[in-house]
Amino acid sequence: MKTPNTPDKGTPASAALNDQDYLALASSMINAESLTGPVPVDPDIAEAMGAFSEDALSADDALDSHFDGIDPTADAEGSNHG
């Protein structure tokens, strides 16, 4: 990601923001601006703010959850003592 504050030939390198500092500054500005209403957010900044973190189950975990408590190695005929 290219930050908008890339140093020109006349700007000292120490005056430029690195990506992490830029994202932190942009995130704080978004938070401040959002107090007055909706604010459009660049996807890179939104990702740095945690907007796209995925906490859902994976497809394999979701499938496995259907079989919780069922022993797949049990013999169907031998386990039915009724």
Side-chain angles (χ1 to χ4, degrees), residues 1-55:
M1 176 179 82
K2 182 177 172 163
T3 60
N5 295 331
T6 331
D8 296 343
K9 292 178 182 178
T11 306
S14 62
L17 293 174
N18 64 27
D19 286 346
Q20 186 177 5
D21 290 341
Y22 169 73
L23 292 172
L25 180 61
S27 297
S28 66
M29 294 303 297
I30 297 293
N31 288 334
E33 289 293 318
S34 68
L35 297 174
T36 59
V39 179
V41 179
D42 179 84
D44 291 331
I45 298 169
E47 184 175 9
M49 296 173 73
F52 301 119
S53 64
E54 183 61 54
D55 296 332

